[in-house]
Structures are given as C-alpha cells and as structure tokens.
C-alpha cells in the first residue's frame, strides 16, 4: 500500500516542520526562541475580537455560510480593493477561504492541468512549489539574486515563458526575502505577460500592509491586467489573525467561480465567526495595523544592525513583510568539532540544538545558501536570539 504519487512528490511544509521542531524543544523545557514561523506576536485587535464575540452572542452565525463567503464580507473586500488598490473588483470576484494558502490551492486546482508550467519567482514561499506539484503541473523556478534584492526581472520572465506556461506566481512584499516590487518593475513584468494571451499572474499581496517603502502596487490595477491577475490576500499578517484562518482571492469571475467549485467540494465556506471578525477588520480602523507595522519597522533595524555584527552573515535590508533572508553559506563545510554543517537544513537544525534559535532552511524557499528569520517576535527575544546566533556561530571552525 502506498501514498499517491501526488503526495510523494511534495515535501512537508518546512515552515510548519521547523515550528513543530521548536515546539518539541520547548516541550522538553528548553528555552527556544522561535523565529521560524511567520506569525505576528501581537494579539488580534480588540474591535475584531468584539465583532466575533458579538456574532456568537447574537446566535445568527451558526449555520453554513455561502461557500465563497458572506456577501457583506465579499462586498467589503471588493470595496477595499476599489478604494485602496485601484482595482474595480465586485463581490462576484471574491472567494473567501481558510487562509491564503487554501486560496492558492483552490486556484492551482481550478486552473492547472498536468503538463502546464507555472513560473515561480525564486526565492519563493514554501507552498507555491508544493501546490503546483499537487495540481500535477510543473514548477519552473526563475531565480532572483541577492544583488538585485532577490527580485526577478521582466527579461527573466520573458525568457522563461513557453507555450506551456499557464501562470506566474510571486509575493510582494516577498516571503521570504522582504523585497517589494516597485510599480515600474511590475509594469515591466505586465508588459511581458500581456504579449502572451494565455498567461495569468497570481499576485500574492498578503503582506501589503507591512511595506516600509510604500510603493505598494496591485498587479491587477495595471492596464490590461485585471483579466489576467488572481490577487491573493488575507487577514493573518496585517491584522494578527493567523489562527482565524481567513484568506481570499480576487479574480476574474470565471476563475473565482472555478475556485468556488473546488472549495465547495473540499471544505465549504470558511468559519462563520472568523468571517465576522474579518468584516470588522476590513471595514474598521487601520490604526492597530499601523501600530504593529511601526513595531516591525523598529525590529527590522535592530535585527539588521545585529546581523551585520555576525562575521560571515550577509543580509539585505528588507523593504516589507517581517523576514530577513541572510546568506549563511560561509559556514557550510565548518564544524563545531562534532557536527559539520553542509547546507541550510544542517545550519537550522544545528542552530536549534546549539543556539536554541529556530529558523527555516533557505532550501525550502529555493535558495540553499540562505536561512529565513522571522522578526515577528518581541525586541527582547530578537536581541537575545541574535546574541545566541553570534555566540554559536563563533564556535564553528
Ligand atoms: N506564511 C507563514 C510562514 O511562511 C505561515 C506558515 C505557513 O503557513 O507556511 O511562515
């Protein structure tokens, strides 16, 4: 008896696997600082919690919601995109799901056939590659370099498109690199895409609020791109709602309908109470979000300054999201006398067991030389974690 080829073709999610390992250490009483999972350390803002509590108390939200989400939430998401992102979405374009991860999975299953190619900008978020494979299509990695802030260029996209290309996918701000594509860079990519009538763009904007440079452009807002773009977003990062599991797509109606069909057969709608919380988030005051972003901005500087003090670590200054993606390859081949570090997996396992800091191996994001560090943790934890890393790394010869 065997598992399917489909499931054998993918790895376990590295972000979740590292988080689980860190938890194992913590359960043994070891004081691990977990910088692996990309999870805000803030509490969900009060007005969102109140809305969810009210929904329970009113007793009106205990039945199955419509598969694509409550109409008022879909309208509110569309209105947000019209107002803030300059994209004329309507409720019919929106499908609310159990997190942006499910949104992406729905889209992949709705669009892809075996043999189709999906261009993934690399470094990429762990699950893009796996979800393309689950849909039995072929991931095509196009690599950004650290010198170009890990950003893929329009020329590279042009060079990677074939007659089999169905879509390209990337996140901006990017998980894991923190890079932000400028309007100009997106326009150049759009120009290439528009030359190829069958190519779609899956634009993951889940970190849109955590953008320190402010040049946040939605691909779907660019001329000609509304019909070609699936916008992915959600509430986890901007509103500290990871556990509530609310993500969504905004897409041309035929794609939204396809995703809705997938979701209707797999999970049905997202949790009713979470959706009432999400409605309060998207129609409410953004002050709590701005406050969190202010904290991330401070932490980014702290971590950057401390990373620079570690000999052998090379880091870019991220423009968004809450990750650093430092190059640690200068430690590969080194040993503490017991363990030799050969790659990013070894580096992270060793750092967890020796330094008690959990990170995610860059290999899982398509770049073996790097590791991902999430700074969605308190200043105190970050300072301590960077101290531990520096001390541990100093023992490698
Ligand atoms: N998106 C977060 C991360 O990259 C959450 C973990 C996950 O769903 O993979 O850490």
């Amino acid at each position: 008896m065997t598992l399917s080829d489909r499931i054998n073709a993918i790895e376990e999610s590295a972000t979740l696997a590292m988080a689980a390992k860190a938890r194992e250490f913590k359960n043994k009483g070891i004081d691990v600082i977990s910088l692996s999972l990309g999870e805000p350390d803030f509490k969900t803002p009060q007005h969102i919690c109140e809305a969810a509590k009210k929904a329970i108390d009113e007793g009106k939200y205990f039945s199955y919601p419509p598969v694509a989400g409550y109409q008022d939430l879909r309208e509110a998401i569309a209105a947000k995109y019209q107002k803030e992102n300059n994209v004329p979405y309507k409720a019919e374009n929106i499908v609310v799901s159990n997190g942006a991860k499910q949104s992406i999975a729905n889209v992949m299953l709705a669009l892809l056939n075996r043999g189709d190619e999906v261009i993934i900008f690399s470094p990429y978020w762990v699950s893009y590659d796996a979800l393309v494979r689950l849909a039995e299509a072929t991931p095509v990695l196009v690599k950004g370099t650290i010198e170009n802030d890990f950003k893929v260029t329009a020329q590279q996209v042009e060079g990677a498109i074939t007659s089999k290309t169905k879509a390209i996918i990337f996140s901006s701000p990017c998980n894991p690199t923190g890079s932000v594509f400028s309007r100009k860079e997106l326009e150049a990519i759009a120009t290439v895409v528009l030359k190829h009538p069958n190519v779609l763009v899956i634009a993951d904007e889940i970190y849109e609020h955590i953008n320190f440079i402010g040049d946040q452009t939605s691909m779907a807002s660019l001329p000609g791109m509304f019909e070609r773009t699936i916008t992915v977003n959600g509430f986890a990062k901007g509103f500290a709602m990871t556990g509530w599991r609310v993500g969504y797509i905004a897409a041309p109606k035929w794609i939204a309908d396809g995703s809705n069909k997938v979701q209707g057969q797999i999970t049905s709608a997202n949790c009713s109470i979470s959706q009432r919380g999400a409605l309060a988030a998207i129609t409410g005051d953004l002050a709590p979000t701005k406050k969190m972003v202010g904290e991330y901005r401070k932490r980014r500087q702290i971590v950057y300054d401390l990373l620079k003090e570690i000999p052998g670590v090379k880091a870019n200054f991220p423009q968004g999201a809450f990750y650093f993606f430092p190059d640690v390859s200068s430690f590969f081949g080194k040993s503490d006398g017991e363990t030799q570090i050969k790659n990013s997996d070894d580096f992270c396992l060793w750092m967890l067991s020796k330094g008690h800091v959990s990170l995610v191996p860059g290999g899982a994001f398509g770049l073996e030389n790097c590791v991902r560090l999430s700074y969605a943790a308190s200043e105190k934890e970050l300072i301590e974690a960077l101290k531990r890393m520096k001390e541990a790394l100093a023992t490698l010869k």
Side-chain angles (χ1 to χ4, degrees):
M1 284 188 280
T2 56
L3 292 171
S4 66
D5 295 342
R6 200 177 308 113
I7 206 73
N8 284 330
I10 64 167
E11 304 290 333
E12 186 186 357
S13 160
T15 45
L16 303 186
M18 274 313 286
K21 273 210 175 72
R23 227 172 280 135
E24 263 173 44
F25 271 64
K26 281 185 186 168
N27 290 343
K28 285 190 213 147
I30 301 170
D31 162 37
V32 165
I33 302 178
S34 187
L35 307 184
S36 41
L37 205 54
E39 167 146 77
D41 58 320
F42 298 106
K43 289 206 165 51
T44 304
Q46 196 53 32
H47 67 284
I48 300 171
C49 299
E50 292 304 334
K53 283 190 226 165
K54 184 160 168 265
I56 293 178
D57 291 341
E58 281 176 354
K60 286 198 295 196
Y61 297 99
F62 297 148
S63 327
Y64 291 124
V67 172
Y70 287 121
Q71 183 68 15
D72 53 1
L73 176 57
R74 293 167 74 208
E75 279 169 9
I77 292 169
K80 169 245 175 321
Y81 262 90
Q82 289 173 23
K83 197 166 137 228
E84 290 175 18
N85 307 70
N86 199 24
V87 193
Y89 287 127
K90 299 194 199 114
E92 66 181 23
N93 302 112
I94 312 296
V95 180
V96 178
S97 303
N98 295 277
K101 195 183 298 196
Q102 188 190 12
S103 299
I104 298 167
N106 285 344
V107 169
M108 298 295 183
L109 290 171
L111 285 177
L112 301 177
N113 285 316
R114 185 173 300 163
D116 286 343
E117 292 176 359
V118 177
I119 294 174
I120 302 177
F121 290 8
S122 177
Y124 54 85
W125 179 52
V126 277
S127 296
Y128 294 163
D129 177 82
L131 292 174
V132 170
R133 286 177 205 274
L134 268 183
E136 299 188 38
T138 308
V140 176
L141 302 184
V142 179
K143 298 184 183 180
T145 58
I146 195 163
E147 292 73 29
N148 192 35
D149 260 335
F150 298 107
K151 284 189 270 188
V152 166
T153 63
Q155 288 93 312
Q156 285 178 286
V157 176
E158 178 93 79
I161 291 178
T162 72
S163 58
K164 292 183 185 158
T165 307
K166 189 79 183 253
I168 68 176
I169 182 167
F170 62 91
S171 56
S172 178
C174 175
N175 176 2
T177 64
S179 299
V180 174
F181 280 92
S182 68
R183 169 175 287 267
K184 231 171 128 211
E185 287 161 340
L186 291 178
E187 280 169 352
I189 292 168
T191 303
V192 170
V193 169
L194 289 170
K195 283 195 233 161
H196 301 272
N198 298 320
V199 177
L200 294 160
V201 175
I202 304 170
D204 183 347
E205 301 183 352
I206 185 99
Y207 293 94
E208 70 167 338
H209 291 297
I210 312 169
N211 175 335
F212 308 112
I213 57 162
D215 188 3
Q216 180 69 34
T217 300
S218 285
M219 189 55 125
S221 71
L222 299 180
M225 289 306 291
F226 180 91
E227 291 300 335
R228 297 292 207 89
T229 306
I230 298 110
T231 305
V232 177
N233 207 329
F235 294 82
K237 315 296 180 181
F239 300 93
M241 292 174 69
T242 49
W244 298 61
R245 309 309 303 131
V246 198
Y248 57 88
I249 56 158
K253 189 172 179 305
W254 67 276
I255 300 174
D257 289 348
S259 292
N260 192 29
K261 199 164 156 191
V262 174
Q263 182 157 299
Q265 294 289 13
I266 296 183
T267 57
S268 290
N270 166 248
C271 164
S272 59
I273 305 304
S274 291
Q275 288 193 51
R276 302 324 287 166
L279 181 64
I282 206 151
T283 53
D285 187 5
L286 277 181
T289 298
K290 291 189 178 135
K291 202 163 163 231
M292 291 188 262
V293 175
E295 290 300 316
Y296 294 136
R297 188 188 284 275
K298 270 198 266 166
R299 295 168 186 186
R300 174 179 66 146
Q301 191 64 52
I302 292 170
V303 173
Y304 184 63
D305 291 344
L306 293 171
L307 277 175
K308 270 198 310 199
E309 282 177 20
I310 306 180
V313 172
K314 201 162 100 192
N316 277 16
F317 194 55
Q319 301 170 318
F322 38 55
Y323 305 106
F324 276 87
F325 199 56
D327 184 319
V328 295
S329 59
S330 70
F331 298 99
F332 297 173
K334 293 194 174 171
S335 159
D336 63 359
E338 273 173 26
T339 311
Q340 198 196 24
I341 292 174
K342 293 186 287 300
N343 50 38
S344 63
D345 277 352
D346 290 351
F347 184 98
C348 290
L349 288 174
W350 178 83
M351 189 52 79
L352 180 59
S353 64
K354 286 289 153 81
H356 299 161
V357 176
S358 81
L359 305 163
V360 187
F365 303 94
L367 191 54
E368 192 51 67
N369 286 352
C370 295
V371 292
R372 192 190 74 174
L373 179 157
S374 159
Y375 56 92
S378 71
E379 278 180 30
K380 196 168 153 246
E381 281 181 306
L382 291 169
I383 292 168
E384 172 62 18
L386 272 292
K387 180 171 161 268
R388 291 184 191 183
M389 285 172 64
K390 188 177 180 186
E391 285 170 3
L393 291 171
T395 68
L396 292 175
K397 301 254 160 357

